[in-house]
Amino acid sequence: MAKTTEPAGAGTDPAEEDVAAAEADTAATEGPAARRPPQEAPRPKGLGPIGWARWGWRQLTTMRTALILLFLVALGAVPGSILPQRGQAPEKVTEYFDKHTTLAPWFERLSLFDVFAAPWFAAIYILLFVSLAGCVIPRASQHYRAMRARPPAAPRNLRRLPQSATYETDADAAEVLAEARKVLRKRRFRVDDGDGSIAAEKGYLGETGNLVFHLALLGLLFALGVGNVFGYRGNVVVTEGKSFANALAHYDQFEPGSQFDSDRLPPFSLTLDEFTATYETKGPKRGQATDYQAKLRFREAPASPEKPYNLRVNHPLDVAGAKIYLINHGYAPAFTVRDAKGDVAFQDSVPFLPMETRNYTSEGVVKAPDAEPEQLAFYAILWPTAVASEDQKQIVSAFPGALRPVLTISSFKGDIGLDSGTPQSVYKLDGIGKTLQPIKGGQKLLEPGETFKLPGNAGSVTFDGMREWASLSVNHDPGRMPALIAAVLAIIGVVASFMVRRRRVWVRARAGTDGRTVVEVGGLTLGHPTPEFEDIVAALRGPQEPEADSDPASATDTKE
């Protein structure tokens, strides 16, 4: 009986056979494993928080971003120079609100009347500081390593450099290189020996100056920040004959730094004896101010001796670590107000605000809350040099000096509103037509020394005379001196960066075919070439050597 042979693969699952056949076809199609392309790596899902933080830091610390932020700081400072600022002239801010009732509230929302304390300005300022720090500090580290590094080795073909020269000498190569080392070191080059050559470099002071400028700018920003955090600034109006003590309650406006303790104010005091404004009296500049002087007496402490000082514009008084600046002035007419009983209800000078600064027409109010049986108040307009207008229908001021002072006064009686406890401006009358009623026939023109008796036996008001007031700014800035030092360093750095340029010199010496030594000198200067290279070549050649081949055009055509 014949033996039957079972075919190959018998007894296997048909599904397994199909899978094996498919794998064999795929392998035959793809080719050898060495020739197959690598599998594509899975794409990242995103940068992630850390990646985005790194990207943002790199963008912030670029020089381009620093320049943009510096431009924004300059742009943001423009409103501070155009619009009145509360820190320097709060009375002008009040005047701006009166004249621009629609626009001023919008400026107030944008903090344009106090630009340098605005949150948006502080944000730009801090970003600029961080950007400069992240940009300059790594550059300083790199520059330090570059200054410590060896000068780069000599190129293969020195003739291709912008400055090159070649000559022959009877001295051997070692003597030439020794002389080159001596000449270059005498010129303050950093010298490094190579294989048959000398490499020298100097001029890092230019880059150092550039870094000093940026580091000084960083220090300047830091000093300004320190001054704003630990200093204070306040404004006060002082009338002739009155005194001011450096206490928080005596300031008209006070802005302490976030870390300044108001209880640590230095206890100095001052008295304004006389304020004098000098004006041109003739010619086309008639009425233009030529000088302002405030004669003061001050004490650094209650027990200190009293000292005189003539306070002028740009000549501040330095006392107890604070500087006192003269920033504004105006008139303060003196009044005596008597009530219906004949008693003195008010007797003092009142600061008036200028309505215009050309001839100093001013306005102000007088409040007599102690008058009985009804309180009295007055609104007045002052003309320092009163004359009739061209149409003879009104009074104008022809000169800012008080040559012929005249004021018109309007009288009111009733409740001024001071007893309610609600804060009021000393330059305005509130409640007119409501709690405060005008006195019929209560208008009058007054000259110094004249008295106006109010109708209805309501009292009287006397124009006693003219005084002047001075607006003083008291600043304590601990960052002032560091800022000055930083500014000086910035100027020095800029000068150095423009005056000093990086220079490199290479000297190669080799034996020539005729037994003489061939010397090649190459120079590279950042920017335009300097005459120093020719001086170095002349010092190396000496007086006995022939002229060198230093034609830049021929050097450029030479090939390796």
Side-chain angles (χ1 to χ4, degrees):
M1 186 174 191
K3 186 177 179 181
T4 58
T5 303
E6 195 172 323
T12 60
D13 190 356
E16 294 179 356
E17 294 179 358
D18 294 340
V19 171
E23 291 177 351
D25 293 341
T26 303
T29 303
E30 292 180 352
R35 298 177 60 184
R36 296 174 193 170
Q39 293 184 351
E40 184 178 356
R43 295 183 179 181
K45 296 181 180 180
L47 291 177
I50 297 178
W52 281 110
R54 290 176 178 173
W55 179 85
W57 175 255
R58 286 195 297 268
Q59 297 301 315
L60 179 62
T61 55
T62 60
M63 185 58 68
R64 178 183 61 184
T65 302
L67 291 175
I68 292 174
L69 291 171
L70 188 61
F71 172 76
L72 291 178
V73 168
L75 187 64
V78 171
S81 60
I82 296 177
L83 298 175
Q85 300 294 293
R86 283 197 173 88
Q88 286 76 33
E91 67 281 354
K92 290 187 177 180
V93 176
T94 303
E95 181 182 351
Y96 194 92
F97 267 86
D98 294 338
K99 292 182 178 179
H100 305 85
T101 55
T102 303
L103 195 59
W106 286 99
F107 287 168
E108 178 71 13
R109 293 186 183 97
L110 297 175
S111 301
L112 296 185
F113 295 115
D114 203 359
V115 168
F116 303 106
W120 56 265
F121 190 85
I124 300 174
Y125 181 91
I126 293 173
L127 286 175
L128 176 61
F129 183 87
V130 174
S131 178
L132 281 176
C135 179
V136 175
I137 294 177
R139 278 184 58 196
S141 177
Q142 296 172 5
H143 177 63
Y144 177 76
R145 290 195 297 269
M147 292 179 62
R148 304 273 298 179
R150 297 172 60 185
R156 292 179 59 188
N157 192 345
L158 295 180
R159 284 180 170 268
R160 290 189 173 183
L161 295 175
Q163 292 178 298
S164 63
T166 303
Y167 65 91
E168 295 182 358
T169 180
D170 293 330
D172 58 20
E175 293 177 355
V176 170
L177 295 180
E179 181 65 20
R181 192 180 300 109
K182 178 180 178 181
V183 170
L184 292 172
R185 283 178 175 171
K186 186 176 181 180
R187 292 178 174 268
R188 300 183 181 275
F189 278 85
R190 292 190 301 117
V191 180
D192 185 45
D193 295 330
D195 185 13
S197 63
I198 292 292
E201 185 178 28
K202 76 172 181 179
Y204 276 94
L205 186 60
E207 177 65 16
T208 302
N210 187 279
L211 286 172
V212 166
F213 167 74
H214 288 90
L215 289 173
L217 184 60
L218 196 63
L220 180 62
L221 293 176
F222 181 76
L224 294 176
V226 168
N228 288 331
V229 171
F230 296 99
Y232 68 87
R233 180 178 61 189
N235 291 340
V236 60
V237 173
V238 183
T239 306
E240 288 178 326
K242 294 188 176 182
S243 301
F244 164 74
N246 191 33
L248 186 60
H250 295 163
Y251 279 97
D252 299 322
Q253 183 179 10
F254 188 80
E255 297 179 3
S258 59
Q259 301 299 320
F260 180 76
D261 186 1
S262 301
D263 295 333
R264 301 180 62 184
L265 286 171
F268 68 84
S269 60
L270 59 86
T271 301
L272 177 59
D273 291 329
E274 181 183 3
F275 181 87
T276 304
T278 306
Y279 304 96
E280 291 284 352
T281 58
K282 297 179 181 179
K285 295 184 178 180
R286 184 178 185 272
Q288 180 176 329
T290 58
D291 189 28
Y292 299 112
Q293 295 187 19
K295 294 183 179 180
L296 305 176
R297 289 177 288 116
F298 70 95
R299 298 177 187 267
E300 294 190 4
S304 301
E306 196 171 51
K307 302 177 182 178
Y309 190 80
N310 190 13
L311 185 64
R312 302 170 60 191
V313 177
N314 298 326
H315 291 79
L317 169 62
D318 194 346
V319 53
K323 282 188 175 293
I324 302 177
Y325 297 88
L326 177 62
I327 60 175
N328 206 349
H329 78 103
Y331 290 104
F335 297 92
T336 298
V337 178
R338 296 180 181 272
D339 58 16
K341 298 180 180 181
D343 297 331
V344 176
F346 177 87
Q347 189 174 32
D348 203 352
S349 56
V350 179
F352 276 32
L353 292 180
M355 302 171 65
E356 47 86 17
T357 56
R358 181 177 181 180
N359 294 312
Y360 268 82
T361 302
S362 306
E363 64 177 350
V365 298
V366 181
K367 300 179 182 181
D370 296 331
E372 294 182 359
E374 291 183 290
Q375 296 178 350
L376 298 175
F378 306 89
Y379 170 77
I381 297 178
L382 170 69
W383 296 279
T385 302
V387 296
S389 61
E390 294 182 358
D391 57 7
Q392 303 293 318
K393 293 183 179 180
Q394 59 182 355
I395 300 176
V396 296
S397 181
F399 192 75
L403 302 181
R404 184 175 178 264
V406 173
L407 59 82
T408 179
I409 195 164
S410 300
S411 308
F412 301 86
K413 64 180 180 179
D415 185 7
I416 299 176
L418 295 177
D419 297 334
S420 63
T422 303
Q424 289 188 10
S425 172
V426 296
Y427 304 107
K428 289 184 178 180
L429 289 178
D430 296 331
I432 295 179
K434 298 178 181 179
T435 60
L436 199 61
Q437 302 299 326
I439 299 176
K440 187 176 181 180
Q443 292 79 31
K444 180 70 173 178
L445 285 175
L446 294 177
E447 295 186 14
E450 291 186 348
T451 299
F452 173 43
K453 293 185 178 180
L454 303 178
N457 198 25
S460 65
V461 56
T462 302
F463 181 15
D464 294 327
M466 293 288 291
R467 297 179 186 175
E468 294 199 46
W469 57 263
S471 180
L472 307 180
S473 176
V474 183
N475 293 344
H476 171 65
D477 186 0
R480 183 176 63 249
M481 187 55 65
L484 176 61
I485 295 174
V488 173
L489 289 177
I491 295 174
I492 295 175
V494 168
V495 173
S497 65
F498 279 106
M499 297 292 293
V500 182
R501 286 176 284 178
R502 184 94 55 88
R503 285 151 290 174
R504 290 174 179 172
V505 176
W506 294 274
V507 180
R508 179 181 287 123
R510 56 183 172 81
T513 56
D514 57 353
R516 304 189 73 191
T517 301
V518 178
V519 182
E520 295 179 324
V521 185
L524 183 63
T525 302
L526 183 64
H528 297 290
T530 62
E532 185 180 26
F533 179 78
E534 285 76 10
D535 297 338
I536 293 174
V537 173
L540 292 175
R541 286 176 52 251
Q544 74 281 3
E545 298 298 338
E547 290 294 329
D549 176 16
S550 58
D551 184 7
S554 62
T556 304
D557 295 337
T558 304
K559 297 183 179 180
E560 296 185 47

